Amino acid sequence: MGSPTGGVLEGVRVLDFGRYIAGPYCAAVLGELGADVIRFDKREGSEDRYVQPVAPTGDGAMFLQMNRNKRSITLDPMHPEGRAVVERLVATADVVVANLPPPTLKRMGLDHASLKAIKPDIILTRVSAFGDGGPMSDRVGFDGVASAMSGAMWFSGEPGTPTRLQAPYVDITTAISCAMGTLAALMHRQKTGEGQEVEGALLISAMNCFAPILVEQAALGLDRQPTGTRGQTAAPADIVATKDGWIMMQGIGPSQFRRWAQLMGEEEKWCSDPKYKDDLSRGDNGAAISARTREWAAQYTTAEALDLLSQAKLPGGPVYTPRQAVEDPHVAAMGYLHPMPYDGLNDPVSLVEMPVRLTGSPGSIRKAAPLLGADTDTVLAEIGLAAAEIGALREKGVI
């Protein structure tokens, strides 16, 4: 069953039918923790393999990040003989990951009832755009759609200009949540012998990320309006320009506000004014605080401003370009980026590790994302298919 990993999930087999980010990254996290993850690709390569191409093969940046530590099998699961192969693999698996609408899962025989008929204790981890049971459940959707529907996109821009965050935070949050749910389901099975279905949805992930504003809205009906980069529930909280760049500066609570006022050289002016008596008041009157912070930051370079903030024990950080982010010395010192060789590329590809570290059973990025179908023959041999049978499936276009 694949090569030993030494991770906490060694011996767990995951079949990954995911596409793009939410499903594949969930499976990648399980793989980083030691699971044997088998990714199912279309024979010509699935769509998500070729987004933002970086390799001569056309394999893309998103694919490389979301599919490390996996093995790739090319297979048509809708072909009768392909479906038979899937069933044999399900019989060896612990978890099936899929981000497909329920009707599609049923047609493919990947709904939980069909999987349980093959492996009674199987765990199905399923991701959809809107969850199962509502009027939009059968619709497809991506990260940006869920962000838009959560209210976050409208709230993040300037008034009248909704703004999309380019980072797919909804997909990543959904993936990590589903990985957590899968781990809980594995623990439940260990105790009871029962499998179950784990459901994640982009919309509820987006709403969780935006929950404080939504809870406040539901409770008080404040109908807050967007304020661009400036925060609303505390201040200072804004992006301000320096002599040579931009910084993000934040302060929460009376102690940090007092230290900010001292840094401005105006402690009495700000700390004695009732308009700034608490976080909410400071948020309501944050435009004045941002204006003063901009005036202060404009005197310094980014490095000088951040040094002064650090001395004052105030949160602040540079607004980086992607180049600056990957070249940051702290990122390098922490080892957040893992250089991995990839076929066809002269230089290694830097992959970002999962966002949690364990001291007793650490995860690891052991191998780069697989080339298309690189492990088809090996995986099929593991479930008992002879070389002649594998060859016949290839001739028929099943694999």
Side-chain angles (χ1 to χ4, degrees), residues 45-324:
S46 301
E47 302 87 340
D48 60 333
R49 180 176 280 271
Y50 304 116
V51 177
Q52 295 173 261
V54 296
T57 56
D59 292 355
M62 182 178 74
F63 177 81
L64 298 185
Q65 172 67 15
M66 306 304 163
N67 293 282
R68 72 281 186 109
N69 291 342
K70 299 181 186 180
R71 300 194 285 167
S72 168
I73 174 174
T74 53
L75 180 76
D76 179 0
M78 301 303 288
H79 190 287
E81 291 187 55
R83 188 160 184 155
V85 171
V86 170
E87 291 175 357
R88 290 178 68 165
L89 280 165
V90 168
T92 72
D94 301 283
V95 178
V96 171
V97 174
N99 51 337
L100 298 164
T104 306
L105 285 176
K106 195 168 183 65
R107 284 197 304 273
M108 294 177 66
L110 297 176
D111 59 295
H112 198 224
S114 299
L115 294 172
K116 278 174 48 177
I118 303 165
K119 183 87 181 300
D121 65 350
I122 197 78
I123 294 165
L124 171 62
T125 298
R126 181 169 63 80
V127 181
S128 65
F130 305 109
D132 195 12
M136 296 183 67
S137 293
D138 291 344
R139 296 189 188 183
V140 296
F142 283 133
D143 174 287
V145 174
S147 176
M149 290 183 62
S150 74
M153 194 177 289
W154 179 87
F155 194 73
S156 295
E158 297 289 344
T161 310
T163 301
R164 176 191 175 193
L165 181 65
Q166 295 293 342
Y169 73 96
V170 178
D171 275 329
I172 296 297
T173 303
T174 304
I176 294 170
S177 299
C178 285
M180 178 185 69
T182 303
L183 293 172
L186 287 166
M187 291 181 68
H188 175 81
R189 191 181 71 172
Q190 204 170 41
K191 293 177 180 179
T192 66
E194 299 173 349
Q196 61 180 295
E197 190 169 344
V198 177
E199 181 190 18
L202 300 182
L203 181 56
I204 188 60
S205 295
M207 293 180 71
N208 265 274
C209 292
F210 199 51
I213 296 295
L214 297 179
V215 170
E216 180 191 60
Q217 177 63 33
L220 303 177
L222 295 184
D223 292 323
R224 288 185 179 274
Q225 300 297 303
T227 52
T229 61
R230 178 166 56 82
Q232 296 193 2
T233 57
D238 208 347
I239 297 171
V240 294
T242 64
K243 284 183 176 180
D244 59 352
W246 300 81
I247 60 172
M248 178 69 197
M249 181 180 173
Q250 293 178 279
I252 298 176
S255 296
Q256 289 190 353
F257 182 68
R258 183 169 294 278
R259 292 200 295 273
W260 170 84
Q262 290 168 347
L263 184 61
M264 299 301 110
E266 299 170 349
E267 180 178 359
E268 179 61 26
K269 172 184 174 180
W270 296 96
C271 295
S272 63
D273 192 326
K275 286 191 303 198
Y276 310 110
K277 64 182 179 181
D278 54 28
D279 277 334
L280 197 57
S281 300
R282 292 188 282 271
D284 290 342
N285 295 282
I289 296 173
S290 285
R292 181 66 184 93
T293 308
R294 284 194 296 273
E295 183 183 314
W296 171 83
Q299 306 172 80
Y300 304 105
T301 65
T302 293
E304 291 167 344
L306 292 177
D307 186 56
L308 290 169
L309 290 175
S310 177
Q311 291 178 39
K313 293 184 169 53
L314 288 168
V319 178
Y320 275 161
T321 65
R323 177 184 290 274
Q324 290 171 318

